[in-house]
């Protein structure tokens, strides 16, 4: 299978490299087209008024089809498809350093990379690994390896699920003991955003979001489940529209 991988942590992101090597080892043709630096929380940003620099690079592991891009994850997918002529059977975005659950998906460059694939009618999956604060490097590596192994194992199943969605399949992996895999909805979350004035500007102070509308991906992930959530490209609120039209 021909698989395109991008991310928002940058082309040297451990999650991306672990996934790419696992898929390559499993016999797939792997293309890596990823940002040259961290692009977390850029959402679906596209570079339209500047030239985007693209350079072929060596990321090891026998992965010869790798490109670093001076742009966003969405840029990377579009460039792969429309400039580099890559024709993948499916697209992965990730494995992200940290979960993308709840309202995180509105801001996530990881999710946007997958969404750009879906926008171009390619089965696309966003992969994210929950990380604890102050987690040591060895534990994080083990989690990425487990997530990559699960992805290889369930590759065809998850690809088929993604192909059924008018959008993407958003997958998050837990820390600690793995209790299973569950299909669930994305919950809405509240952010307690604050800013600190520093050196002539305002610096955002990150506070973990809190779920505000019940069961879904966040509590299931915290409970030890891999969460699978279909996310739609079409943002229309069909229920409200139908009510207004009556």
């Amino acid at each position: 299978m021909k698989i395109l991988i991008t991310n928002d942590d940058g082309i040297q992101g451990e999650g991306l490299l672990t996934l790419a090597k696992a898929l390559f080892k499993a016999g797939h043709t792997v293309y890596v087209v990823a940002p040259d630096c961290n692009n977390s929380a850029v959402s679906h940003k596209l570079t339209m008024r500047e030239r985007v620099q693209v350079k072929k690079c060596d990321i090891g592991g026998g992965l010869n089809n790798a490109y670093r891009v001076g742009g966003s994850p969405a840029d990377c997918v579009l460039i792969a498809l429309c400039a580099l002529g890559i024709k993948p059977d499916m697209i992965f975005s990730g494995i992200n350093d940290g979960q993308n659950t709840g309202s995180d998906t509105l801001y996530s460059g990881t999710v946007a990379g997958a969404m750009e694939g879906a926008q171009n009618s390619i089965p696309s999956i966003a992969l994210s690994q929950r990380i604890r604060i102050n987690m040591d490097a060895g534990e994080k590596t083990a989690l990425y390896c487990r997530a990559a192994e699960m992805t290889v194992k369930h590759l065809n199943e998850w690809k088929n699920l993604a192909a059924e969605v008018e959008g993407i399949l958003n997958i998050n992996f837990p820390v600690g003991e793995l209790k299973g895999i569950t299909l669930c909805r994305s919950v809405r979350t509240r952010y307690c955003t604050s800013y600190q004035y520093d050196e002539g500007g305002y610096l955002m102070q990150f506070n973990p979001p809190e779920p505000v509308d019940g069961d879904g991906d966040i509590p299931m992930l915290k409970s030890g489940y891999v969460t699978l959530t279909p996310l739609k490209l079409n943002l229309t609120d069909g229920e409200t529209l139908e009510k207004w039209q009556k």
Side-chain angles (χ1 to χ4, degrees), residues 79-155:
I79 284 171
L81 301 179
C82 302
L84 299 178
I86 299 171
K87 300 183 183 301
D89 299 304
M90 69 178 302
I91 294 173
F92 283 114
S93 188
I95 302 167
N96 189 62
D97 182 8
Q99 68 196 63
N100 277 302
T101 49
S103 301
D104 293 346
T105 58
L106 297 173
Y107 307 101
S108 168
T110 300
V111 170
M115 280 292 189
E116 190 56 45
Q119 177 70 14
N120 286 273
S121 303
I122 300 169
S124 299
I125 300 175
L127 301 172
S128 301
Q129 174 63 59
R130 187 182 182 213
I131 300 296
R132 291 197 182 104
I133 297 174
N134 299 323
M135 179 177 286
D136 66 62
E139 186 177 1
K140 187 183 288 190
T141 296
L143 288 174
Y144 284 134
C145 289
R146 183 175 74 174
E149 289 169 4
M150 288 191 69
T151 301
V152 171
K153 178 181 178 180
H154 295 279
L155 183 64

Side-chain angles (χ1 to χ4, degrees), residues 2-7 10-13 15-24 28-36 54-69 73 76-77 79-80 84 86 88 90-95:
K2 294 181 180 179
I3 301 173
L4 171 64
I5 306 176
T6 192
N7 72 348
I11 196 162
Q12 293 301 324
L16 178 147
L17 295 174
T18 303
L19 176 65
K21 290 173 183 177
L23 289 168
F24 180 73
H28 300 284
T29 301
V30 177
Y31 300 88
V32 175
V33 184
D36 60 5
V54 180
K55 295 182 180 179
K56 193 165 187 178
C57 60
D58 181 6
I59 58 174
L63 296 161
N64 299 319
N65 299 308
Y67 301 83
R68 57 193 311 135
V69 177
C76 291
V77 172
I79 284 171
L84 299 178
I86 299 171
M90 69 178 302
I91 294 173
F92 283 114
S93 188
I95 302 167

Side-chain angles (χ1 to χ4, degrees), residues 189-226:
T189 44
R190 178 185 294 115
Y191 296 87
C192 301
T193 304
S194 62
Y195 286 85
Q196 179 179 339
Y197 187 80
D198 181 37
E199 297 182 0
Y202 287 93
L203 182 65
M204 177 184 281
Q205 307 299 301
F206 177 76
N207 297 298
E210 300 176 354
V212 296
D213 64 352
D215 293 335
D217 53 2
I218 294 177
M220 294 305 294
L221 184 66
K222 288 182 178 179
S223 297
Y225 289 89
V226 178

Side-chain angles (χ1 to χ4, degrees), residues 112 170 185:
N170 185 39
R185 69 186 185 93

